[in-house]
Structures are given as C-alpha cells and as structure tokens.
C-alpha cells in the first residue's frame, strides 16, 4: 500500500516519468510552500489580505517566468517544470499560483514573445526577480467571455498613443507596477501595450468583498486619456490571437496547478477519515467514505496523466489550444469535485479554517471561471469536434 498521506499522491508512478531536475524542482518548491505559505495562508485568507512579501521570494526560487531564457533573468526550464511549479504553489493556495501564473504567462510571456529587445531587457529581469509586479488586462465590465468585443480604445497621435477605457477583475491590479493591456483602434485592430503605474490618467481601484481568492488582490484598470509612449506598444503582435496565445500558456499552468489544491484536499480527507471515529469505528471503515476516497484518487490520477501528457506535447511544441482547453476544464472540475467531496468527509470540520479544504474549494470557484469558463472550454471542444462555432447565435 502506498503512503498517500505523507508522500506525493502519485498512484500511477508519474514521478518516475520526471527527470532528476524536475523531481528536485518539485521537492524544493514543496519545501518552500510548506515553510512559507501553509503556516500563514489561512490567516491571510480570513483577513482578506495578500501576502505580497512572498512575491520576491517566489522570484528567488525561480517560480516567476521559469520558461523565460536566462539572459532575461528566467530559469530557462521546460514546460513540465513550469507545470510542477504551478502544482506545488497551488497546493499552498490558488492565490499564490495566480500571482505566478499572471506574472509568468500573462506578463513575461507576451513581453518575451511579442516585445522589442529594449522591452525585454527593461522589464523581464525585474519581473523575474519579483522586484516588479505585473497585471494582465483583457476582461472588461461588459465583455468577459467575449473579449473580441472589447471597448477599450487606443488612438495613434504620431508621437504617442492615447488609451481610454477600463478593465475589470484583474489579478494584482492594485499592486502592479506595469500592466499588459489589450485595446482596439478605430479599425478594430487589437494591440497590446505595457502601461506603467506612473502614467498619468492610469488608476487601479481594488475590488473588495470577495469570497474566493481572498489572499489575492483583484481590481480594475482604468485609463483616462493615458498617454503611452511609442516604445510601450508590443510591436510584434496584432489581433485577438495575441492575448489568446498568452492564455494558452496560463491555462496550461492551471491544468497542473489545480492538482496541487486537489492533492491537499484529498490527503486531508484521507487522514481525517482514518482518525475520526463514529459508531465506534473510523469513518474510513464505511463503504460510502471509501467510495468517495477511491473515486477522488481515480479522478486525480486521470487528471495527473492528462497534465503530464500535455506537458510533453508543450515541450515538443505540439500542444494545440483545444487540448489545453480540455485539460484546463477537466482538471479544474476534477479539483473542485475533490474539494467538495473532501469537505463532506470532514463533516462540520470541513468548513473550519483549521483545515485547508473550504479555502481551496472557494478559490477553485474562481479558477473554474477565469481563463475561460467551464462552459466556454466545453464549447471550444464542441467547435473542434463539429467545425461549428456555437459562441455566436447571431
Ligand atoms: P475567434 O474568432 O475564435 O478567434 C479570434 C482570433 O484569435 C485566435 N485564437 C487563438 N489563437 C491562439 N490560441 C487560442 N487559444 C486562440 N483562440 C482564438 C483565432 O485563431 C483568431 O485569429 P485570427 O488570426 O483568425 O484573427 O474568437 P471569438 O471572438 O469567437 O472568441 C472565441 C472564444 C470565446 C473561445 C475566446 O475568445 C475565449 O476563450 N473566451 C474566454 C475569455 C478568457 O479566457 N478570458 C481570460 C481573461 S484573463 C484571466 O482570466 C486571467 S486569470 C488570472 C489568474 O490566474 O489570476
Ligand atoms: P460572462 O462572460 O458574463 O459569463 C457568464 C456566464 O455565461 C458563464 O457561465 C459563461 O460560461 C456563460 N456564457 C458566456 N458566453 C457564453 C456562450 N457563448 N455560450 C454559453 N455560455 C456562455 N481577467 C483578466 O483579463 N485578467 C485577470 O487577471 C483576471 N483575473 C481574474 C481574477 C478573478 C478572481 C476572477 C474571478 C476573474 C478574473 N478575470 C481576469 C476575469 C475572467 O477571465 C472572467 O471572469 C471570465 O473570462 C468570464 O467572464 P465574465 O465573468 O464576464 O462572465
């Protein structure tokens, strides 16, 4: 019998498929999360504040932009390593992983893939070390699932651009130093801009009162005639495919990340079920408890295999956006179901902050919505299967 309580939950020996370097990364990020995140994260969630001091530490352990080349401050690791880092961070809390996802896939990736050499040198090393915090602005008050209809506008005045509009539900907006923002011109062409905190007319009001991702700062990005120097446009991309390519990388990371939250819930429930007695026996003796635990482990194992295979395809440059959508959707759904079942196993204790389950469960309610909702990813598979888009009914 495997030790599934205190060791990695790895029923199909997927860790045997990892390189020595990947195992080392897994252990070292897990160790950092055990020391620096787990002891205090419940308190941050209860108080609805973000442990911002951890961002520099994430830079120190190579968790920000791990796939970015070393010459720009990255760790130059492969995509399975990136997935492993996201998994271990989210075992601590989805808010910690969110910060690393946004910084890596939604801010550093577009600057690296679409930016000028000057932009890469100016921003990537500071983002990688956590000295600078980035945000990504795509969603707007009137356009979430349908970013192609965005209303944020830019105009070219020859010497500079002017940006007007607003973005909503933006991770880390209140604390960002820069934001990668997507906007349209009169001809409906989408372009990306690096907006710096010091630019006049740029503000980032915080969104309060969240019941999910309470250890993460969320807010708006508001642009009131913001003058953007020409050197702050991302020169090498045009069209909605720009932000969508960033999302491919972030969604891939989430398909791994949520497995960490699921693992933490599963281990907590297994341990509790062996210790908690009712009717004079451990609740793990009841067939209904065993069914819950066995199904959780089965679904977690299937999700781990999907993430691993997708990681191989990412490393080979063969993963397509539709495969990424399927993995994001399946794995978040699996993690949320595991959190819900684990909460049941703990009975009343399941809602207590003394255990991590309710916190993970509430976090995952955001994760199943952001980076494309559960239903949008299903419809992406539907389109791939049938060739017919059901997003637009007119
Ligand atoms: P559609 O006509 O299909 O596509 C427009 C153009 O974009 C291209 N494209 C992609 N390219 C690369 N990768 C992808 N995944 C792509 N999806 C689309 C497409 O080829 C086309 O290019 P071109 O050159 O022909 O113009 O677009 P549509 O308007 O029909 O919309 C399609 C839809 C609904 C699937 C898409 O827009 C979508 O995925 N909506 C969900 C929006 C979303 O995911 N937003 C996420 C915001 S960021 C966030 O949530 C961060 S959370 C941060 C945290 O972790 O804390
Ligand atoms: P809507 O698009 O209004 O959808 C509402 C419902 O309608 C959903 O169930 C959806 O599935 C359904 N629906 C919509 N269209 C269709 C359709 N065609 N067919 C069937 N059903 C449909 N965005 C950023 O740009 N940057 C960030 O950093 C960021 N961080 C976030 C952090 C948090 C905590 C949260 C909660 C969100 C964040 N988002 C961010 C926004 C997120 O990406 C959007 O919430 C998400 O894309 C969904 O948009 P919406 O909330 O406007 O929902």
């Amino acid at each position: 019998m495997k030790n599934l309580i205190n060791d990695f939950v790895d029923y199909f020996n997927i860790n045997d498929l990892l390189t020595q370097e990947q195992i080392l990364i897994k252990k070292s990020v897990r160790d950092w999360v055990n020391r620096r995140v787990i002891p205090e994260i419940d308190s941050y969630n209860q108080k609805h504040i973000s442990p911002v001091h951890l961002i520099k530490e994430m830079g120190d352990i190579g968790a920000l932009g791990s796939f970015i080349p070393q010459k720009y401050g990255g760790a130059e690791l492969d995509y399975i390593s990136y997935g492993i880092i996201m998994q271990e961070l989210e075992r601590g809390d989805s808010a910690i992983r969110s910060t690393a996802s946004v910084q890596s896939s939604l801010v550093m990736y577009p600057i690296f893939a679409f930016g000028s050499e000057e932009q890469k040198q100016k921003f990537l090393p500071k983002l990688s070390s956590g000295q600078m915090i980035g945000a990504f602005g795509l969603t707007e008050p009137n356009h979430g699932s349908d970013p192609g209809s965005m209303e944020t506008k830019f105009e070219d005045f020859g010497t500079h651009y002017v940006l007007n509009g607003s973005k909503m539900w933006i991770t880390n907006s209140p604390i960002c130093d820069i934001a990668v923002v997507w906007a349209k011109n009169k001809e409906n062409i989408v372009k990306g801009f690096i907006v710096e905190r010091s630019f006049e007319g740029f503000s980032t009001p915080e969104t309060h009162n969240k019941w999910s991702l309470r250890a993460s700062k969320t807010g708006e990005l508001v642009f009131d005639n913001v003058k953007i120097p020409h050197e702050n446009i991302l020169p090498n991309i045009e069209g909605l495919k720009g932000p969508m390519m960033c999302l491919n990388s972030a969604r891939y990371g989430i398909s791994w990340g949520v497995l960490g939250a699921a693992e933490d819930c599963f281990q907590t429930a297994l341990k509790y079920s062996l210790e908690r007695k009712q009717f004079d026996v451990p609740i793990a003796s009841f067939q209904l408890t065993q069914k819950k635990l066995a199904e959780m482990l089965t679904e977690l194992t299937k999700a781990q295999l999907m993430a691993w295979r997708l990681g191989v395809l990412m490393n080979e440059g063969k993963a397509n956006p539709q495969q990424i959508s399927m993995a994001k959707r399946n794995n978040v759904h699996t993690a949320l179901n595991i959190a819900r079942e684990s909460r049941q196993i703990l009975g009343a204790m399941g809602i207590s902050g003394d255990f991590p389950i309710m916190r993970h469960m509430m976090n995952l309610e955001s994760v199943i919505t952001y980076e494309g909702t559960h239903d949008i990813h299903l419809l992406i598979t539907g389109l791939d299967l049938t060739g017919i888009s059901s997003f637009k009914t007119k």
Side-chain angles (χ1 to χ4, degrees), residues 98 102 106 135-147 167-173 180 182 210 212-213 216-219 221 247 251 363 365-377 379 390-393:
S98 259
V102 170
L106 300 182
F136 175 86
L138 182 63
T139 305
E140 298 185 352
N142 294 327
H143 307 285
S145 298
D146 179 19
K167 302 286 176 180
M168 198 181 180
W169 292 113
I170 306 304
T171 296
N172 283 345
S173 96
V180 169
W182 301 91
K210 291 181 295 162
S212 175
L213 284 180
S216 167
K217 293 251 182 213
T218 311
L221 303 172
L247 292 178
R251 290 167 175 175
N363 285 341
E365 290 290 348
S366 284
V367 183
I368 205 165
T369 290
Y370 68 34
E371 306 267 6
T373 68
H374 190 62
D375 285 346
I376 288 293
H377 288 295
L379 298 179
S390 65
F391 300 116
K392 295 160 190 156
T393 50

Side-chain angles (χ1 to χ4, degrees), residues 70-138:
Q70 287 181 8
K71 72 170 181 164
Y72 299 119
E76 210 165 331
L77 299 174
D78 72 317
Y79 267 99
I80 290 187
S81 300
Y82 174 56
I84 288 169
I85 293 169
M86 296 301 115
Q87 183 178 13
E88 293 305 327
L89 294 178
E90 195 149 359
R91 191 178 141 267
D93 195 271
S94 303
I96 306 293
R97 195 270 308 140
S98 259
T99 288
S101 288
V102 170
Q103 189 95 341
S104 305
S105 287
L106 300 182
V107 179
M108 296 178 74
Y109 169 80
I111 294 174
F112 174 67
F114 315 135
S116 65
E117 188 54 35
E118 292 71 30
Q119 290 169 346
K120 291 180 207 184
Q121 286 180 16
K122 179 173 175 189
F123 296 110
L124 291 178
K126 285 188 181 149
L127 289 162
S128 158
S129 64
Q131 281 170 277
M132 197 176 246
I133 300 172
F136 175 86
L138 182 63

Side-chain angles (χ1 to χ4, degrees), residues 85-370:
I85 293 169
M86 296 301 115
Q87 183 178 13
E88 293 305 327
L89 294 178
E90 195 149 359
R91 191 178 141 267
D93 195 271
S94 303
I96 306 293
R97 195 270 308 140
S98 259
T99 288
S101 288
V102 170
Q103 189 95 341
S104 305
S105 287
L106 300 182
V107 179
M108 296 178 74
Y109 169 80
I111 294 174
F112 174 67
F114 315 135
S116 65
E117 188 54 35
E118 292 71 30
Q119 290 169 346
K120 291 180 207 184
Q121 286 180 16
K122 179 173 175 189
F123 296 110
L124 291 178
K126 285 188 181 149
L127 289 162
S128 158
S129 64
Q131 281 170 277
M132 197 176 246
I133 300 172
F136 175 86
L138 182 63
T139 305
E140 298 185 352
N142 294 327
H143 307 285
S145 298
D146 179 19
S149 300
M150 69 177 77
E151 293 165 47
T152 299
K153 283 273 181 292
F154 73 91
E155 221 177 314
D156 189 347
F157 283 87
T159 51
H160 61 272
Y161 301 96
V162 170
L163 195 59
N164 275 296
S166 65
K167 302 286 176 180
M168 198 181 180
W169 292 113
I170 306 304
T171 296
N172 283 345
S173 96
I175 53 168
C176 74
D177 299 292
I178 60 167
V180 169
V181 175
W182 301 91
K184 272 183 183 173
N185 64 8
K186 279 205 297 276
E187 289 75 40
N188 273 339
I189 293 173
V190 174
K191 291 290 290 181
F193 297 87
I194 305 172
V195 181
E196 302 184 35
R197 157 112 9 230
S198 58
F199 291 176
E200 210 172 312
F202 175 42
S203 58
T204 60
E206 184 164 354
T207 302
H208 296 285
N209 239 343
K210 291 181 295 162
W211 283 107
S212 175
L213 284 180
R214 287 169 63 84
S216 167
K217 293 251 182 213
T218 311
E220 297 166 50
L221 303 172
V222 182
F223 316 102
D224 179 9
N225 282 316
V226 180
K227 261 187 169 180
I228 314 272
H230 259 182
E231 64 263 25
N232 278 43
I233 195 167
L234 293 173
N236 302 320
I237 192 70
E238 191 170 288
L240 194 62
K241 68 173 183 289
M244 297 312 294
M245 285 167 72
C246 305
L247 292 178
N248 291 338
S249 175
R251 290 167 175 175
Y252 163 74
I254 289 174
S255 75
W256 279 84
V258 292
L259 304 179
E263 183 179 10
D264 197 27
C265 292
F266 171 77
Q267 287 184 313
T268 304
L270 177 58
K271 185 163 184 287
Y272 186 89
S273 71
L274 290 165
E275 289 167 358
R276 171 76 174 169
K277 287 190 175 161
Q278 286 296 285
F279 302 95
D280 297 326
V281 291
I283 59 169
S285 321
F286 303 129
Q287 285 186 356
L288 288 176
T289 307
Q290 291 193 9
K291 177 175 187 289
K292 286 189 180 68
L293 290 167
E295 285 181 349
M296 282 193 254
L297 179 60
T298 307
E299 292 308 313
L300 179 55
T301 302
K302 283 154 66 179
Q304 287 170 335
L305 285 164
M306 194 181 238
W308 177 79
R309 176 63 190 151
L310 187 62
V312 172
L313 292 174
M314 289 288 287
N315 280 344
E316 292 171 350
K318 291 183 188 159
N320 64 46
Q322 293 77 14
Q323 291 165 330
I324 294 171
S325 277
M326 185 183 280
K328 190 270 181 183
R329 178 178 187 273
N330 180 75
N331 289 9
V332 180
H333 191 237
T334 296
L336 191 49
N337 283 342
I338 288 173
R340 287 172 180 156
E341 290 291 81
S342 299
R343 207 214 60 70
Q344 298 261 24
I345 288 176
L346 266 73
M349 283 298 178
I351 71 154
S352 165
D354 293 343
F355 294 93
I357 292 174
M358 192 76 180
R359 173 170 54 78
H360 283 308
M361 196 175 110
M362 297 206 303
N363 285 341
L364 290 166
E365 290 290 348
S366 284
V367 183
I368 205 165
T369 290
Y370 68 34

